[in-house]
Amino acid sequence: MYSLIIIGGGPAGYTAAQKAAQGGMENVLLIEKRALGGTCLNEGCIPAKTFLQSAKIWHYIQVANKYGITAEAQEFKQDKVVARKNKIVRKLVAGVKTKVTSSGAEIVMGEAEIASVEGNIYTVKVGNETYQTEKLLLAMGGEVALPPIKGLDSINYWTSREALDAKELPEKLAIIGGGVIGMEFASYFAQIGVKVSVIEMLPEILGGLDGEVSAMLREYYTKQGVDFYLGAKVIEVSPKGVTVEKDGENLLVEATQVLLSTGRRPVIKGFEALNLETQGRGIKVDNHMRTSQNGVYAIGDITGFSQLAHTAIREAEVAIENLLGNETEICYRAIPSVVYSNPEVAGVGYTEEQLQKERINYTKRTLNMTYAGRFVVENEQENGLCKVLVGENDQILGVHMLGNSSSEIIIAATIAIDKQIPASKLAHTIFPHPTVGEIIKETIDAIPIDIE
């Protein structure tokens, strides 16, 4: 009998296994069907960032003359980029295995299924072996959601998995979906010389993120030669490209390769025996990560709330703390979102659109990122934006940025929102100079724009 069985070895699952074993739970079992690290480490976050880092270096070589350097990039070797990605993934997967096993947890590789539920005892089957527990933690993750597009079965389309293994570059790439994943791939391929088109059904890219910042990123990439088709419905795909309906007319977006970036869905099939209550497309949980079934917890993408690795990690911490008897909750308002494009986009808390929809009074304070001296030093002839949204009680409601280093400095804003640090108090905090992070302090001190 195991004290805890965890199904799924992604960021949620492996974090939970480590924390549970370190917290004193004996006989902790982690089951993973494919590869430790899950989607994030093997075919998502980490592989994509290795690609983007190579593209960023290539870009800097192209503009080296702006920094007083004469340099010439001879060749971009996509196969070498893929090889480096694979090496990094292998190293980090090995690190995850060491982290889990050194904590005292056990790992079993194979696909798990619920064999039976008898009272408070859950029997999990993996191959010909069975394992029992009174505490079950589900962390199966998510999978690519393929839309029912006419002609999809007639072409060799890419999802993020195939795109991250491609050793040859397409001439013209059509990306269906202008969300975070779609825009990161657009950033990568556009920077290394591929002709990119982005097709988005919504009126703006990066739906759910701050609209002003999203529009600025789109305008930046439009200048770099990316074509955007907003408010466009995909009708059909073919070897010639993607046919879309826009403004009542059909038009062909020519492409030699199509990349589907239309979102992901929770993996919850195969666990019907648990009879769990669902919400939307995911498993319903409370703020302690408990499901409707006694002794069963759910974390990560399968809750359907946030398909972000850092959300999954925090949910794992919360679930284990509660399993150990330490009542803890998660604050979903303080979850940062990042687009690792070049330039980067980052945000946390409310967007202006959300505040206006919920009729929450606020003031907006904005500054060009060039108010931070280090940003000017490191980003020749680029501008960027920092936006701080402040409530009536001096509460920081949201912070949104466009500009490199945003992914790192958004941490300060996340802490302020999570710990409810007033804007004036954060502005009185001493930031090191010169840093790009100073822009948060400078923006708070900027003249506020009253919003009716």
PDB file of all heavy atoms in Angstrom, residues 25 37 50 52 96 126 151 154 161 185 209 299 323 331 340 343 363-364 375 394 397 408 410 439 451:
ATOM      1  N   MET A  25       6.161  11.866   3.708  1.00  0.00           N
ATOM      2  CA  MET A  25       5.277  10.786   3.269  1.00  0.00           C
ATOM      3  C   MET A  25       6.119   9.607   2.793  1.00  0.00           C
ATOM      4  O   MET A  25       7.047   9.764   2.005  1.00  0.00           O
ATOM      5  CB  MET A  25       4.354  11.260   2.150  1.00  0.00           C
ATOM      6  CG  MET A  25       3.390  12.360   2.563  1.00  0.00           C
ATOM      7  SD  MET A  25       2.235  12.834   1.234  1.00  0.00           S
ATOM      8  CE  MET A  25       1.120  11.431   1.264  1.00  0.00           C
ATOM      9  N   GLY A  37       9.130  14.780 -17.043  1.00  0.00           N
ATOM     10  CA  GLY A  37       9.197  16.180 -17.459  1.00  0.00           C
ATOM     11  C   GLY A  37       7.980  16.611 -18.237  1.00  0.00           C
ATOM     12  O   GLY A  37       7.737  17.804 -18.402  1.00  0.00           O
ATOM     13  N   THR A  50      14.983  26.760 -26.390  1.00  0.00           N
ATOM     14  CA  THR A  50      16.290  26.540 -27.026  1.00  0.00           C
ATOM     15  C   THR A  50      16.255  27.058 -28.463  1.00  0.00           C
ATOM     16  O   THR A  50      17.226  27.658 -28.943  1.00  0.00           O
ATOM     17  CB  THR A  50      16.681  25.051 -27.014  1.00  0.00           C
ATOM     18  OG1 THR A  50      15.771  24.295 -27.820  1.00  0.00           O
ATOM     19  CG2 THR A  50      16.666  24.497 -25.607  1.00  0.00           C
ATOM     20  N   LEU A  52      14.292  29.485 -29.596  1.00  0.00           N
ATOM     21  CA  LEU A  52      14.210  30.949 -29.546  1.00  0.00           C
ATOM     22  C   LEU A  52      15.545  31.586 -29.179  1.00  0.00           C
ATOM     23  O   LEU A  52      15.867  32.681 -29.652  1.00  0.00           O
ATOM     24  CB  LEU A  52      13.123  31.371 -28.559  1.00  0.00           C
ATOM     25  CG  LEU A  52      11.694  31.085 -29.042  1.00  0.00           C
ATOM     26  CD1 LEU A  52      10.716  31.120 -27.875  1.00  0.00           C
ATOM     27  CD2 LEU A  52      11.285  32.085 -30.114  1.00  0.00           C
ATOM     28  N   VAL A  96      15.536  15.686 -13.592  1.00  0.00           N
ATOM     29  CA  VAL A  96      14.240  15.459 -12.949  1.00  0.00           C
ATOM     30  C   VAL A  96      14.213  14.094 -12.279  1.00  0.00           C
ATOM     31  O   VAL A  96      13.740  13.949 -11.140  1.00  0.00           O
ATOM     32  CB  VAL A  96      13.092  15.571 -13.986  1.00  0.00           C
ATOM     33  CG1 VAL A  96      11.788  15.044 -13.401  1.00  0.00           C
ATOM     34  CG2 VAL A  96      12.926  17.015 -14.428  1.00  0.00           C
ATOM     35  N   VAL A 126      -0.681  -0.727 -14.010  1.00  0.00           N
ATOM     36  CA  VAL A 126       0.322  -0.334 -15.005  1.00  0.00           C
ATOM     37  C   VAL A 126       0.862  -1.621 -15.621  1.00  0.00           C
ATOM     38  O   VAL A 126       1.592  -2.370 -14.967  1.00  0.00           O
ATOM     39  CB  VAL A 126       1.477   0.482 -14.386  1.00  0.00           C
ATOM     40  CG1 VAL A 126       2.466   0.897 -15.478  1.00  0.00           C
ATOM     41  CG2 VAL A 126       0.951   1.692 -13.644  1.00  0.00           C
ATOM     42  N   GLY A 151      -9.610  18.913 -45.016  1.00  0.00           N
ATOM     43  CA  GLY A 151      -8.345  18.723 -45.718  1.00  0.00           C
ATOM     44  C   GLY A 151      -7.162  18.437 -44.822  1.00  0.00           C
ATOM     45  O   GLY A 151      -6.052  18.193 -45.311  1.00  0.00           O
ATOM     46  N   SER A 154      -5.093  15.418 -45.468  1.00  0.00           N
ATOM     47  CA  SER A 154      -4.456  15.323 -46.788  1.00  0.00           C
ATOM     48  C   SER A 154      -3.088  16.006 -46.837  1.00  0.00           C
ATOM     49  O   SER A 154      -2.438  15.993 -47.879  1.00  0.00           O
ATOM     50  CB  SER A 154      -5.368  15.947 -47.851  1.00  0.00           C
ATOM     51  OG  SER A 154      -5.489  17.350 -47.652  1.00  0.00           O
ATOM     52  N   ARG A 161       4.993  19.572 -31.590  1.00  0.00           N
ATOM     53  CA  ARG A 161       5.930  18.439 -31.507  1.00  0.00           C
ATOM     54  C   ARG A 161       6.740  18.296 -32.785  1.00  0.00           C
ATOM     55  O   ARG A 161       7.979  18.188 -32.752  1.00  0.00           O
ATOM     56  CB  ARG A 161       5.155  17.142 -31.221  1.00  0.00           C
ATOM     57  CG  ARG A 161       6.047  15.907 -31.135  1.00  0.00           C
ATOM     58  CD  ARG A 161       5.216  14.646 -30.949  1.00  0.00           C
ATOM     59  NE  ARG A 161       4.455  14.700 -29.712  1.00  0.00           N
ATOM     60  CZ  ARG A 161       3.598  13.750 -29.335  1.00  0.00           C
ATOM     61  NH1 ARG A 161       3.381  12.707 -30.120  1.00  0.00           N
ATOM     62  NH2 ARG A 161       2.950  13.862 -28.197  1.00  0.00           N
ATOM     63  N   PHE A 185       6.364  30.569 -32.027  1.00  0.00           N
ATOM     64  CA  PHE A 185       6.852  29.961 -33.270  1.00  0.00           C
ATOM     65  C   PHE A 185       6.962  31.009 -34.383  1.00  0.00           C
ATOM     66  O   PHE A 185       7.892  30.960 -35.193  1.00  0.00           O
ATOM     67  CB  PHE A 185       5.934  28.822 -33.702  1.00  0.00           C
ATOM     68  CG  PHE A 185       6.239  27.520 -33.024  1.00  0.00           C
ATOM     69  CD1 PHE A 185       5.305  26.907 -32.205  1.00  0.00           C
ATOM     70  CD2 PHE A 185       7.463  26.904 -33.207  1.00  0.00           C
ATOM     71  CE1 PHE A 185       5.590  25.701 -31.573  1.00  0.00           C
ATOM     72  CE2 PHE A 185       7.761  25.699 -32.585  1.00  0.00           C
ATOM     73  CZ  PHE A 185       6.818  25.099 -31.761  1.00  0.00           C
ATOM     74  N   LEU A 209      -4.386  38.157 -23.014  1.00  0.00           N
ATOM     75  CA  LEU A 209      -3.333  39.037 -22.517  1.00  0.00           C
ATOM     76  C   LEU A 209      -3.747  40.479 -22.765  1.00  0.00           C
ATOM     77  O   LEU A 209      -4.752  40.757 -23.422  1.00  0.00           O
ATOM     78  CB  LEU A 209      -1.997  38.729 -23.196  1.00  0.00           C
ATOM     79  CG  LEU A 209      -1.168  37.605 -22.542  1.00  0.00           C
ATOM     80  CD1 LEU A 209      -1.868  36.259 -22.691  1.00  0.00           C
ATOM     81  CD2 LEU A 209       0.235  37.542 -23.140  1.00  0.00           C
ATOM     82  N   ILE A 299      -4.114  18.234 -10.264  1.00  0.00           N
ATOM     83  CA  ILE A 299      -3.253  19.409 -10.446  1.00  0.00           C
ATOM     84  C   ILE A 299      -2.789  19.496 -11.899  1.00  0.00           C
ATOM     85  O   ILE A 299      -2.791  18.516 -12.637  1.00  0.00           O
ATOM     86  CB  ILE A 299      -2.014  19.347  -9.519  1.00  0.00           C
ATOM     87  CG1 ILE A 299      -1.254  18.025  -9.726  1.00  0.00           C
ATOM     88  CG2 ILE A 299      -2.419  19.514  -8.065  1.00  0.00           C
ATOM     89  CD1 ILE A 299       0.005  17.895  -8.886  1.00  0.00           C
ATOM     90  N   LEU A 323      -2.199  17.742   1.814  1.00  0.00           N
ATOM     91  CA  LEU A 323      -2.102  16.319   2.142  1.00  0.00           C
ATOM     92  C   LEU A 323      -1.283  16.092   3.406  1.00  0.00           C
ATOM     93  O   LEU A 323      -1.525  15.139   4.154  1.00  0.00           O
ATOM     94  CB  LEU A 323      -1.484  15.551   0.970  1.00  0.00           C
ATOM     95  CG  LEU A 323      -2.426  15.208  -0.186  1.00  0.00           C
ATOM     96  CD1 LEU A 323      -1.644  14.800  -1.421  1.00  0.00           C
ATOM     97  CD2 LEU A 323      -3.385  14.100   0.225  1.00  0.00           C
ATOM     98  N   CYS A 331      -3.335  31.302  -5.146  1.00  0.00           N
ATOM     99  CA  CYS A 331      -3.842  32.596  -5.600  1.00  0.00           C
ATOM    100  C   CYS A 331      -3.702  32.655  -7.123  1.00  0.00           C
ATOM    101  O   CYS A 331      -2.613  32.901  -7.644  1.00  0.00           O
ATOM    102  CB  CYS A 331      -3.062  33.741  -4.947  1.00  0.00           C
ATOM    103  SG  CYS A 331      -3.543  35.384  -5.545  1.00  0.00           S
ATOM    104  N   TYR A 340       7.709  34.285 -24.937  1.00  0.00           N
ATOM    105  CA  TYR A 340       9.166  34.375 -25.095  1.00  0.00           C
ATOM    106  C   TYR A 340       9.554  34.722 -26.524  1.00  0.00           C
ATOM    107  O   TYR A 340      10.459  34.127 -27.113  1.00  0.00           O
ATOM    108  CB  TYR A 340       9.818  33.063 -24.662  1.00  0.00           C
ATOM    109  CG  TYR A 340       9.651  32.786 -23.186  1.00  0.00           C
ATOM    110  CD1 TYR A 340       8.541  32.105 -22.713  1.00  0.00           C
ATOM    111  CD2 TYR A 340      10.588  33.225 -22.266  1.00  0.00           C
ATOM    112  CE1 TYR A 340       8.366  31.858 -21.355  1.00  0.00           C
ATOM    113  CE2 TYR A 340      10.435  32.981 -20.912  1.00  0.00           C
ATOM    114  CZ  TYR A 340       9.318  32.293 -20.463  1.00  0.00           C
ATOM    115  OH  TYR A 340       9.154  32.059 -19.114  1.00  0.00           O
ATOM    116  N   PRO A 343      10.735  40.962 -29.325  1.00  0.00           N
ATOM    117  CA  PRO A 343      10.821  41.193 -27.880  1.00  0.00           C
ATOM    118  C   PRO A 343       9.822  40.361 -27.072  1.00  0.00           C
ATOM    119  O   PRO A 343       8.817  39.890 -27.604  1.00  0.00           O
ATOM    120  CB  PRO A 343      10.490  42.683 -27.761  1.00  0.00           C
ATOM    121  CG  PRO A 343       9.565  42.939 -28.910  1.00  0.00           C
ATOM    122  CD  PRO A 343      10.068  42.079 -30.031  1.00  0.00           C
ATOM    123  N   THR A 363      -6.528  53.334 -12.248  1.00  0.00           N
ATOM    124  CA  THR A 363      -5.751  54.308 -13.013  1.00  0.00           C
ATOM    125  C   THR A 363      -4.647  53.553 -13.742  1.00  0.00           C
ATOM    126  O   THR A 363      -4.151  52.526 -13.262  1.00  0.00           O
ATOM    127  CB  THR A 363      -5.124  55.391 -12.111  1.00  0.00           C
ATOM    128  OG1 THR A 363      -4.285  54.764 -11.132  1.00  0.00           O
ATOM    129  CG2 THR A 363      -6.198  56.205 -11.422  1.00  0.00           C
ATOM    130  N   LYS A 364      -4.314  54.068 -14.901  1.00  0.00           N
ATOM    131  CA  LYS A 364      -3.278  53.439 -15.718  1.00  0.00           C
ATOM    132  C   LYS A 364      -2.033  54.310 -15.713  1.00  0.00           C
ATOM    133  O   LYS A 364      -2.101  55.520 -15.912  1.00  0.00           O
ATOM    134  CB  LYS A 364      -3.784  53.251 -17.148  1.00  0.00           C
ATOM    135  CG  LYS A 364      -2.734  52.676 -18.087  1.00  0.00           C
ATOM    136  CD  LYS A 364      -3.325  52.284 -19.431  1.00  0.00           C
ATOM    137  CE  LYS A 364      -3.743  53.485 -20.252  1.00  0.00           C
ATOM    138  NZ  LYS A 364      -4.157  53.097 -21.617  1.00  0.00           N
ATOM    139  N   PHE A 375      17.855  49.206 -20.530  1.00  0.00           N
ATOM    140  CA  PHE A 375      17.083  48.773 -21.687  1.00  0.00           C
ATOM    141  C   PHE A 375      17.610  49.437 -22.948  1.00  0.00           C
ATOM    142  O   PHE A 375      17.737  48.797 -23.999  1.00  0.00           O
ATOM    143  CB  PHE A 375      15.599  49.096 -21.495  1.00  0.00           C
ATOM    144  CG  PHE A 375      14.729  48.652 -22.641  1.00  0.00           C
ATOM    145  CD1 PHE A 375      14.220  47.361 -22.682  1.00  0.00           C
ATOM    146  CD2 PHE A 375      14.432  49.512 -23.696  1.00  0.00           C
ATOM    147  CE1 PHE A 375      13.435  46.936 -23.747  1.00  0.00           C
ATOM    148  CE2 PHE A 375      13.641  49.099 -24.756  1.00  0.00           C
ATOM    149  CZ  PHE A 375      13.148  47.813 -24.786  1.00  0.00           C
ATOM    150  N   ASP A 394      -4.777  51.905  -3.788  1.00  0.00           N
ATOM    151  CA  ASP A 394      -3.337  51.814  -4.040  1.00  0.00           C
ATOM    152  C   ASP A 394      -2.882  50.373  -4.284  1.00  0.00           C
ATOM    153  O   ASP A 394      -1.698  50.071  -4.275  1.00  0.00           O
ATOM    154  CB  ASP A 394      -2.537  52.438  -2.875  1.00  0.00           C
ATOM    155  CG  ASP A 394      -1.101  52.796  -3.269  1.00  0.00           C
ATOM    156  OD1 ASP A 394      -0.875  53.194  -4.426  1.00  0.00           O
ATOM    157  OD2 ASP A 394      -0.198  52.659  -2.418  1.00  0.00           O
ATOM    158  N   LEU A 397      -3.211  46.138  -9.420  1.00  0.00           N
ATOM    159  CA  LEU A 397      -4.171  45.214 -10.013  1.00  0.00           C
ATOM    160  C   LEU A 397      -3.578  44.409 -11.159  1.00  0.00           C
ATOM    161  O   LEU A 397      -3.973  43.274 -11.402  1.00  0.00           O
ATOM    162  CB  LEU A 397      -5.398  45.983 -10.507  1.00  0.00           C
ATOM    163  CG  LEU A 397      -6.187  46.747  -9.439  1.00  0.00           C
ATOM    164  CD1 LEU A 397      -7.283  47.569 -10.087  1.00  0.00           C
ATOM    165  CD2 LEU A 397      -6.768  45.787  -8.413  1.00  0.00           C
ATOM    166  N   GLU A 408      11.815  38.164 -16.864  1.00  0.00           N
ATOM    167  CA  GLU A 408      12.523  38.130 -15.582  1.00  0.00           C
ATOM    168  C   GLU A 408      11.972  39.156 -14.597  1.00  0.00           C
ATOM    169  O   GLU A 408      11.780  38.863 -13.411  1.00  0.00           O
ATOM    170  CB  GLU A 408      14.021  38.368 -15.801  1.00  0.00           C
ATOM    171  CG  GLU A 408      14.697  37.331 -16.678  1.00  0.00           C
ATOM    172  CD  GLU A 408      14.772  35.959 -16.030  1.00  0.00           C
ATOM    173  OE1 GLU A 408      14.635  35.860 -14.796  1.00  0.00           O
ATOM    174  OE2 GLU A 408      14.955  34.970 -16.765  1.00  0.00           O
ATOM    175  N   ILE A 410       9.042  40.564 -14.441  1.00  0.00           N
ATOM    176  CA  ILE A 410       7.632  40.444 -14.055  1.00  0.00           C
ATOM    177  C   ILE A 410       7.509  39.781 -12.687  1.00  0.00           C
ATOM    178  O   ILE A 410       6.465  39.879 -12.021  1.00  0.00           O
ATOM    179  CB  ILE A 410       6.843  39.642 -15.124  1.00  0.00           C
ATOM    180  CG1 ILE A 410       5.331  39.868 -14.992  1.00  0.00           C
ATOM    181  CG2 ILE A 410       7.175  38.150 -15.025  1.00  0.00           C
ATOM    182  CD1 ILE A 410       4.881  41.263 -15.249  1.00  0.00           C
ATOM    183  N   ILE A 439      12.082  49.826 -14.349  1.00  0.00           N
ATOM    184  CA  ILE A 439      10.965  50.410 -15.080  1.00  0.00           C
ATOM    185  C   ILE A 439       9.658  50.277 -14.299  1.00  0.00           C
ATOM    186  O   ILE A 439       8.768  51.131 -14.427  1.00  0.00           O
ATOM    187  CB  ILE A 439      10.828  49.748 -16.477  1.00  0.00           C
ATOM    188  CG1 ILE A 439       9.899  50.565 -17.379  1.00  0.00           C
ATOM    189  CG2 ILE A 439      10.385  48.320 -16.369  1.00  0.00           C
ATOM    190  CD1 ILE A 439      10.383  51.953 -17.699  1.00  0.00           C
ATOM    191  N   ILE A 451      -9.024  56.624 -15.623  1.00  0.00           N
ATOM    192  CA  ILE A 451      -9.950  55.883 -16.488  1.00  0.00           C
ATOM    193  C   ILE A 451     -11.357  56.049 -15.967  1.00  0.00           C
ATOM    194  O   ILE A 451     -11.645  55.808 -14.805  1.00  0.00           O
ATOM    195  CB  ILE A 451      -9.576  54.377 -16.519  1.00  0.00           C
ATOM    196  CG1 ILE A 451      -8.102  54.199 -16.892  1.00  0.00           C
ATOM    197  CG2 ILE A 451     -10.487  53.636 -17.475  1.00  0.00           C
ATOM    198  CD1 ILE A 451      -7.725  54.672 -18.242  1.00  0.00           C
TER     199      ILE A 451
END
